[in-house]
């Protein structure tokens, strides 16, 4: 068995922590060679002690402390400038992208251009620049194995048939914390209420995106890129029990589904061991304890962010970059108490509608659109206060 | 596209009829070269006119009529003696085994020994002599693509991983017509009540076997043979909505399921077009109209035939042949009004318990056990009257 050498971008977030839990169980299979964090230097320090990577990157202000602690045993890098270098280390086999936000775009591209196996949990890079990433992956023979639970399910289900026999993808959604809360109450929702997700333990930003269903909208765009799908080939299916992680319908009407418990270690481990599967040591899904599995259509009126994302998915170009950037700023403002829950949509919608779309944009144009959208969004947030 | 030449054993039964409906839609892909029936000469005549096979086999007494009608344009064979010849025609690519009962065993073996692609809907041959069939299939490089809905689902799900990564198979069962009828009423059940299956349109024998869950017991043994599974690797799951046709759990806890409408044309067509998939022209499963999917453990006390089959699956040898033969006779007696519903189990159980098992039996020993079981069963039926 060849030891796989792994770089984890964002090792102190939930994806990074879970990836390290898997690696810890299989020291004969995996070796961590690079870890990165922004501000959580305490946790990164523990991770470095435990896994002894050759490289660690973090915010500049923590670098002197790290140098004192680890001396020459560790190459210490600046997270702002050195992630592209880390993502393209010649000795790396797999680059896990656990960091969130569009900051992942450049290291993602760097990993892809170095022909790595890339395991992205990050959606933003694929949403805003998926075309470019997939094109570069083909050119440099990089393998992309999604870690996002739904995208991993689709990836696994596609083994059930040939790509050109695919008819439709059912992208399942638990429905988020607001599924059974009437829209009339949305105005009064507190941050704490929104952060109480019923199925998945995740970061704050993505939990808010799950509540608005913007997250599902991003996943639509992500799936279009990852699997070269048309918008019409994707059907969002509200499935509150979250036992089915997604499904693929083939031409002959046969549907292949992937099911499992809601634990991110499943898709992460699959990406690390692909094309093989090994024990996870986790409990299996228990069909006898499972509640009935139910399905319904998404409510686009109640969740206008999903409708907006679908509209963006139709138009594409720089618009996905604008949607993503505006959402990042608006959700941050909501989490900081600067705007109310329903203002998230109102603000993003305004920014999206004001944007002049550039079709088939360059990377520079994508990043310009991102910057523009953040400024526009901040101005609208300031006005709302 | 190479034209696939097809022999259908049992073309006037439900599997045969559905197979011909598929073939009719794709004349550029499939050509029927052989059809067989026992007594339904009228339907066979229509089928021969429509599909112009080179060969047709039926009961001896209808042969003169057929000779008058078709003259030298058709080679007319005796269904009692000539199925092995038909199943091994050098020009045949696929042999569909739609006929029921252990009579399918010899033609099944003949097809396998000729290295054909065999699409069996028949369970009995695999239940009573699965070891021999699979061994011969390996030796002669025959491909077996099961047509039974559950086995087809397992076959399709196995594409999601490697065979040695399989942990468990979930064999789903609609639960049959008696799922919600209390056991205390079983004594008074009429033949008509038993034949009213909620999910699948099937022949009478298999519908009774679905009511007793003996059918699921046979499928356990069949799956053990087809996929080389241990009994402990198979979990029967009562799933009344019959949307999930079966599932495979892999080592890592990931479960791959196959779903679809309950129409036998789906698995039949998959067997005919394997490894490709083509349009069926059938409606897809509609998740928005679907009721909640539910699961529960099978009730072995209420359905002792399932418990008996599990016990037989443990012991194997000639016992599966005895179980199958005794069930055929007992169900026939029930359908003829000679015994009541609960006597089906009582009689089979007696016959199975009286049998002296031969481990790793020859084909002759299997067929001897079959004959012995039929005689024993008939004696018990006669006594009960």
């Amino acid at each position: 068995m060849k030891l796989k050498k792994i770089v984890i971008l964002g090792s102190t977030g939930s994806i990074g922590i879970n990836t390290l839990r898997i690696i810890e169980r299989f020291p004969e299979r995996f070796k961590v060679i690079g870890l990165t964090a922004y501000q959580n230097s305490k946790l990164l320090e523990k991770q470095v002690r435990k896994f002894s990577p050759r490289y660690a990157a973090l915010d500049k202000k923590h670098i002197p402390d790290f140098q004192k602690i680890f001396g020459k045993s560790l190459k210490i890098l600046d997270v702002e400038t050195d992630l592209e270098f880390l993502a393209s280390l010649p000795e790396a086999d797999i680059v896990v992208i656990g960091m969130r936000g569009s900051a992942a775009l450049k290291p993602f591209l760097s990993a892809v251009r170095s022909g790595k196996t890339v395991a992205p949990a990050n959606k933003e890079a694929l949403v805003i620049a998926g075309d470019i990433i997939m094109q570069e992956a083909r050119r440099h023979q990089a393998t992309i194995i999604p870690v996002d639970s739904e995208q991993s399910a689709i990836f696994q289900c596609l083994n059930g048939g040939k790509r050109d026999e695919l008819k439709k993808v059912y992208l399942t959604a638990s429905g988020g914390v607001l599924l059974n809360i009437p829209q009339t109450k949305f105005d009064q929702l507190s941050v704490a209420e929104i952060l109480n997700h019923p199925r998945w333990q995740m970061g704050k930003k993505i939990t808010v995106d799950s509540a608005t269903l913007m997250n599902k909208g991003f996943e639509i765009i992500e799936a279009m890129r990852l699997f070269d799908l048309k918008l019409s080939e994707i059907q969002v299916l509200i499935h509150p029990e979250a036992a089915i992680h997604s499904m693929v319908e083939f031409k002959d009407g046969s549907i292949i589904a992937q099911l499992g418990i809601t634990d991110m270690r499943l898709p992460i481990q699959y990406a690390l061991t692909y094309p093989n599967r090994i024990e996870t040591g986790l409990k299996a899904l228990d069909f006898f304890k499972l509640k009935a599995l139910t399905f319904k259509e998404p409510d686009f009126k109640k969740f206008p962010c999903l409708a907006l994302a679908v509209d963006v998915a139709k138009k594409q170009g720089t618009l996905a970059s604008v949607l993503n950037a505006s959402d990042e700023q608006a959700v941050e403002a909501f989490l900081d108490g600067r705007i109310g829950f329903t203002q998230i949509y109102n603000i993003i919608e305004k920014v999206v509608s004001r944007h002049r779309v550039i079709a088939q944009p360059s990377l520079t144009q994508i990043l310009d659109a991102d910057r523009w959208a953040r400024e526009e969004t901040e101005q609208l947030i300031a006005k709302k206060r």
Side-chain angles (χ1 to χ4, degrees), chain A residues 150-220:
Chain A
E150 291 82 355
Q151 314 293 352
S152 174
I154 296 168
F155 187 91
Q156 294 180 51
C157 292
L158 280 171
N159 292 328
K162 303 196 177 73
R163 177 60 190 77
D164 62 354
E165 293 166 1
L166 179 149
K167 191 166 160 192
K168 195 194 271 184
V169 164
Y170 286 101
L171 191 65
T172 56
S174 70
V177 71
L178 303 180
L179 182 63
N180 298 313
I181 292 180
Q183 196 175 355
T184 49
K185 296 202 173 156
F186 280 13
D187 262 341
Q188 308 126 47
L189 289 167
S190 72
V191 171
E193 285 170 298
I194 296 291
L195 291 183
N196 182 29
H197 193 277
R199 297 284 160 207
W200 292 97
Q201 293 298 320
M202 304 178 292
K204 288 180 185 180
K205 158 70 164 58
I206 192 171
T207 305
V208 178
D209 282 344
S210 292
T212 60
L213 294 194
M214 183 65 95
N215 183 55
K216 209 48 57 176
F218 287 149
E219 286 177 8
I220 292 175

Side-chain angles (χ1 to χ4, degrees), chain A residues 238-256:
Chain A
I238 304 295
H239 169 47
E241 300 79 20
I244 296 179
H245 295 168
S246 276
M247 304 187 257
V248 171
E249 181 179 322
F250 291 98
K251 266 186 187 175
D252 62 353
S254 185
I255 296 166
I256 302 294

Side-chain angles (χ1 to χ4, degrees), chain A residues 176-384:
Chain A
V177 71
L178 303 180
L179 182 63
N180 298 313
I181 292 180
Q183 196 175 355
T184 49
K185 296 202 173 156
F186 280 13
D187 262 341
Q188 308 126 47
L189 289 167
S190 72
V191 171
E193 285 170 298
I194 296 291
L195 291 183
N196 182 29
H197 193 277
R199 297 284 160 207
W200 292 97
Q201 293 298 320
M202 304 178 292
K204 288 180 185 180
K205 158 70 164 58
I206 192 171
T207 305
V208 178
D209 282 344
S210 292
T212 60
L213 294 194
M214 183 65 95
N215 183 55
K216 209 48 57 176
F218 287 149
E219 286 177 8
I220 292 175
I221 300 173
E222 195 186 3
M224 288 171 73
R225 294 291 167 265
L226 280 170
F227 307 110
D228 195 20
L229 298 170
K230 291 180 214 136
L231 183 59
S232 61
E233 290 172 325
I234 302 174
Q235 170 71 57
V236 172
L237 203 57
I238 304 295
H239 169 47
E241 300 79 20
I244 296 179
H245 295 168
S246 276
M247 304 187 257
V248 171
E249 181 179 322
F250 291 98
K251 266 186 187 175
D252 62 353
S254 185
I255 296 166
I256 302 294
Q258 192 265 342
L259 298 85
I261 57 168
T262 51
D263 190 307
M264 284 307 291
R265 282 174 284 179
L266 248 73
I268 295 171
Q269 180 172 302
Y270 183 75
L272 296 184
T273 63
Y274 176 83
N276 304 310
R277 294 178 185 273
I278 59 176
E279 300 274 356
T280 52
L282 298 175
K283 273 192 299 186
L285 200 60
D286 185 342
F287 285 95
F288 303 132
K289 286 188 186 157
L290 209 61
K291 280 187 205 157
L293 304 185
T294 60
F295 307 95
K296 56 181 180 176
E297 281 188 87
D299 183 339
F300 289 98
K301 282 192 183 150
K302 185 171 168 184
F303 298 102
C305 282
L306 180 60
L308 182 61
V310 167
D311 198 49
V312 167
K314 265 181 214 149
K315 295 174 183 158
Q316 305 277 359
T318 43
L319 214 51
S321 177
V322 169
L323 182 76
N324 173 69
S326 183
D327 181 67
E328 269 190 36
Q329 299 305 117
V331 170
E332 195 180 292
F334 168 69
L335 288 169
D336 293 349
R338 285 184 284 144
I339 60 172
F341 180 74
T342 50
Q343 287 176 305
I344 298 173
Y345 166 75
N346 294 336
I347 288 171
I348 301 170
E349 194 276 329
K350 275 212 184 72
V351 176
V352 165
S353 70
R354 287 177 190 174
H355 180 65
R356 283 202 213 152
V357 187
I358 302 170
Q360 297 182 305
S362 67
L363 201 58
T364 310
Q365 290 170 319
I366 287 169
L367 295 175
D368 285 348
D370 179 290
R371 211 165 10 243
W372 172 86
R374 285 177 205 271
E375 283 163 17
E376 285 286 309
T377 308
E378 285 306 327
Q379 283 177 22
L380 288 169
I381 291 167
K383 275 187 208 159
K384 291 267 167 181

